[in-house]
Amino acid sequence: MRDRKLSLTALITLILTISQPIANLPPLFQVSQVLAQTPADRKAEADRLFQQGIEQFQISQFGAALQSWQQALIIYREIKDRLGEGQSLGNLGVAYKNLGDYAKAIEYQQQRLAITREIKDRQGEGTTLGNLGIAYKNLGDYAKAIEYQQQRLAITKEIKDRLGEGQSLANLGIAYSALGDYAKAIEYEQQGLTIIREIKNRLGEEQSLGNLGADYFALGDYSKAIEYQQQRLVIAREIEDRQGEGAALGNLGTVYFALGDYAKAIEYEQQSLAIARKIKARLGEGQSLSNLGNAYYALGDYAKAIEYEQQSLVIAREIKDLDGEGTNLNNLGLTFYKSGNLKEAEKILRAGIEVLESLRGRLGKNDSYKVSIFEEQARTYLILQEVLIAQNKTKEALEISERGRSRAFVELLTSRSSSKSAGQTSERPVDKPKISLLQQIAKQQNSTLVEYSIIYDDFNIQGKQETHESELYIWVIKPTGEVTFFRNVDLKPLWQKENTTFAKLVTTSRNSIGARGTAFRGINVSYNPNAPKAKNNLKRLHELLINPIADLLPKNSNDRVIFIPQSSLFLVPFAALQDADGKYLIEKHTILTSPSIQVLDLTHKQKQRIGTKPIEGKDTLIVGNPTMPFIAPKIGETPQQLIPLPGAELEAIAISKLLKTQPLVGNKATVSTVVQRLPQARFVHLATHGLFDDIQGLNSGIALTPSGKDDGLLTASEILDLKLNAELVVLSACDTGRGRLTGDGVIGLSRSLISAGVPSVLVSLWSVPDAPTALLMTEFYQNLQKNPDKAQALRQAMLTTMKKSPNPVNWAAFTLIGEAE
């Protein structure tokens, strides 16, 4: 049940309980050997504290364990016991990981890594790399997780550490499982299991079987999931691993929950709970209690669900498990909401949000960490919106909708804005999006703001609880500051009658006009704008997104409308949405988009910093058709050279003549030259290939000419580190508006450019065709020379291109993000 962190909590319990880095912890927890020249009494005291920490950790007394290891660390440093110091640092990292403080976990593991390399402790180095991989996996940075596990795997093979090799393979399986590549996950897990069985490590075999059960569970193969968990259970009982036995029982409960057999799920969870209490595993006890609350919620027994969740909450607070506390508060809030106690639900959910935001606060200024962790937190904001709407608190719900999107982006922009302010000595705190601020932004933008929020709910389908799209909330803020809320957009027919979802509808609407996500231009697909709604999904999207609020939108086509999408709606070509008469939205309105309303306030501040100048040659950087780099289509495949784009070169030359400047084309358009000129340019136009990364986002890039020391790609990650002063950046390339879709918006090129200081970015939503794009861009700049309103310039360019190339694939790909003027 995605809407409630209940079944998701159960799934996390399933995966994390069985996916601890196999035997990663035992090496960390080995008491270091006495060094001959170390004072025996101090060494003995440090070792005692070290072992005490292990015992405290094993019964989930994480706070106490931290204190013991910190004291041990002080002594090890005092007596210059580098091995003990390193092991203490590693253990502290593991403890902070369990407490959900991943930034500190990584910090301590990095310190340990430095020591292991200094003293040439190859096994310790491998173990630390593995633990870093697990920490990054928990943050959702799966690329780094895989990178660290691969490094560990190489070391284990080098030193012939068969146990470590098996662990590394298993942990690679866990990382690929998190990516949703279950076939590869199972492949790695099976390789790891073979080694573990070869060396007769029964504990490792037990854990590997559990991991395989998790993979098959994720694939929906519940019979195999049960089979593997039962095998794990047999071994756990044979070797008297009570913790493993409890985990296997809890995971079986999770599988039966997914099968809708709630009685059996409760039976297994009760057995798991009994073991956790017996061995004083407080974390496991809390998880079992929460899973029991899960089952009783599904049965509609809200009183019992609340009882179990409250017990779990007490434990989470006792062991300082902030992540668990946030989950419990989320679950309790939803259960109180379903039971009709709206006031208590609101109170608890607001407390849950405070806990979640304190977790993000621990991540400091690390943007990628905040984006990753926010993915698991976003649902609490959605549930609170429902609770507030049920109480007719529509404006408060809008505040929460804003607070639940683009928070990492807002914090990043605020931080960078603060550092550029004259005389600023400390980082300015981020304002919470109160309704007065949102109204002020609408007035400041002199635009109509439209914010969407997709709401999910639990449905009983053939005796099982499932989560599906339920409603679409829409808020409209007029330039006067007047706020209107519309909630009666019923999304249930999408999956009940039309066999689709919002995300699939967006994809089919794009496909229907020939829009494709690819690094190569050149699309020619027939399109019928007069097709019935059943076949023309642009009309269906208009019906859902625009019809309910059409009377609230401005009548003057020159007045701006700024859409604030969510999730898959970021990929909607708003300009091409069609009303019942076949008229496109761009024909009626001037359109922009933004990840959130608060981001608009920050791009406005960026624009004030930069100021406005007429567009002219000396301030422009124009790139067209570089000498293309070699790019691997997929990881592990042979790199292939991207095809040249002669149309993009002609486009760059034509725009350069218009603006009286010289373009960088072919061999001149190197990465180093472009990066050197970017900070000085006020207007930037890049006509080349764009490549998007929908897994990490920051690997999305712009193709340029390789210059020896680089691969020819200017990535979103590299742009993020730049300080730009451009008023406008136009990415006239394929898919430059795409990337990784997250609760924080689209992680990709547009986000990085705005973060680097650019207030207005023009990007594409699909692979754009050469000739129509060249026409559209030339028209855009001609319009911009006459009128500094970028949104108006884009609208007129679209209307002109539409006359010559009617298919929306030829003119509707581009969207303006940020400031219009």
Side-chain angles (χ1 to χ4, degrees), residues 11-21 97 102 134 137-138 174 211 251 287 323:
L11 178 58
I12 287 175
T13 301
L14 175 73
I15 291 176
L16 294 189
T17 301
I18 62 180
S19 299
Q20 296 293 346
K97 177 189 76 69
Y102 303 123
I134 291 295
K137 178 260 173 191
N138 288 345
I174 293 165
N211 286 345
N251 294 338
Q287 291 173 333
D323 189 49

Side-chain angles (χ1 to χ4, degrees), residues 488-501:
N488 296 320
V489 183
D490 188 3
L491 299 182
K492 293 186 288 297
L494 287 177
W495 54 271
Q496 288 176 337
K497 298 177 182 178
E498 300 173 38
N499 194 30
T500 189
T501 63

Side-chain angles (χ1 to χ4, degrees), residues 358-545:
S358 73
L359 269 173
R360 294 207 303 277
R362 289 180 171 210
L363 299 177
K365 294 183 179 181
N366 194 305
D367 178 58
S368 62
Y369 292 177
K370 290 180 179 181
V371 171
S372 297
I373 201 171
F374 189 73
E375 286 299 277
E376 289 304 319
Q377 300 178 346
R379 60 183 49 82
T380 306
Y381 295 85
L382 289 174
I383 297 167
L384 182 53
Q385 287 175 50
E386 288 187 83
V387 171
L388 291 167
I389 294 299
Q391 299 176 82
N392 202 32
K393 297 180 178 180
T394 58
K395 291 181 180 178
E396 291 93 329
L398 175 57
E399 292 176 348
I400 294 300
S401 174
E402 266 291 300
R403 196 168 163 184
R405 66 181 74 207
S406 301
R407 299 317 297 159
F409 195 8
V410 167
E411 288 169 12
L412 178 63
L413 288 175
T414 302
S415 171
R416 293 193 170 193
S417 173
S418 297
S419 66
K420 290 175 181 175
S421 300
Q424 188 79 33
T425 56
S426 61
E427 187 174 334
R428 182 168 65 85
V430 177
D431 295 327
K432 289 182 180 176
K434 295 295 184 185
I435 197 69
S436 56
L437 173 63
L438 305 182
Q439 291 170 313
Q440 176 189 323
I441 294 169
K443 293 175 183 177
Q444 172 184 284
Q445 293 285 328
N446 192 26
S447 303
T448 299
L449 310 183
V450 180
E451 178 151 314
Y452 295 103
S453 187
I454 303 171
I455 301 299
Y456 299 82
D457 211 341
D458 297 324
F459 298 89
N460 192 301
I461 300 174
Q462 296 180 342
K464 289 198 299 181
Q465 289 281 340
E466 294 183 12
T467 298
H468 292 283
E469 295 163 331
S470 175
E471 289 181 284
L472 179 68
Y473 292 168
I474 312 177
W475 289 269
V476 177
I477 309 181
K478 293 186 177 182
T480 59
E482 178 189 347
V483 180
T484 304
F485 172 72
F486 191 93
R487 70 166 293 183
N488 296 320
V489 183
D490 188 3
L491 299 182
K492 293 186 288 297
L494 287 177
W495 54 271
Q496 288 176 337
K497 298 177 182 178
E498 300 173 38
N499 194 30
T500 189
T501 63
F502 232 144
K504 289 178 183 176
L505 182 62
V506 171
T507 299
T508 55
S509 72
R510 290 160 56 92
N511 291 345
S512 70
I513 60 173
R516 298 289 187 274
T518 172
F520 303 94
R521 298 188 183 195
I523 298 173
N524 183 17
V525 177
S526 61
Y527 168 67
N528 179 9
N530 299 313
K533 186 177 66 182
K535 295 183 179 179
N536 185 344
N537 288 318
L538 293 175
K539 290 183 177 178
R540 180 67 172 121
L541 282 173
H542 189 287
E543 185 179 83
L544 292 169
L545 298 173

Side-chain angles (χ1 to χ4, degrees), residues 537-558:
N537 288 318
L538 293 175
K539 290 183 177 178
R540 180 67 172 121
L541 282 173
H542 189 287
E543 185 179 83
L544 292 169
L545 298 173
I546 306 301
N547 283 5
I549 57 167
D551 61 323
L552 299 173
L553 300 182
K555 306 305 177 190
N556 187 337
S557 61
N558 293 321

Side-chain angles (χ1 to χ4, degrees), residues 72-199:
L73 177 63
I74 291 169
I75 297 174
Y76 284 131
R77 282 174 169 167
E78 175 190 317
I79 63 176
K80 295 181 171 54
D81 181 344
R82 294 292 272 165
L83 182 61
E85 179 184 355
Q87 291 176 334
S88 298
L89 287 165
N91 286 6
L92 285 163
V94 172
Y96 277 115
K97 177 189 76 69
N98 277 50
L99 287 168
D101 194 337
Y102 303 123
K104 274 196 174 174
I106 289 168
E107 177 189 335
Y108 277 106
Q109 295 296 354
Q110 289 286 11
Q111 289 182 56
R112 188 196 182 194
L113 184 62
I115 290 174
T116 61
R117 287 172 171 169
E118 175 195 319
I119 65 176
K120 295 180 171 55
D121 174 13
R122 292 292 274 165
Q123 186 165 13
E125 181 182 356
T127 299
T128 308
L129 288 165
N131 285 323
L132 279 165
I134 291 295
Y136 278 110
K137 178 260 173 191
N138 288 345
L139 271 171
D141 192 338
Y142 306 126
K144 275 194 175 173
I146 290 168
E147 178 188 335
Y148 278 112
Q149 296 299 349
Q150 290 284 14
Q151 288 181 49
R152 187 192 183 200
L153 182 61
I155 289 175
T156 60
K157 287 180 176 178
E158 174 196 321
I159 65 176
K160 295 180 171 54
D161 175 10
R162 291 292 276 167
L163 175 61
E165 184 179 352
Q167 293 166 2
S168 302
L169 289 164
N171 292 335
L172 280 165
I174 293 165
Y176 279 107
S177 179
L179 279 172
D181 191 343
Y182 302 115
K184 195 167 256 187
I186 289 169
E187 180 186 337
Y188 276 113
E189 289 290 354
Q190 289 285 12
Q191 289 180 48
L193 180 60
T194 299
I195 293 173
I196 295 296
R197 281 175 167 165
E198 173 195 314
I199 62 176

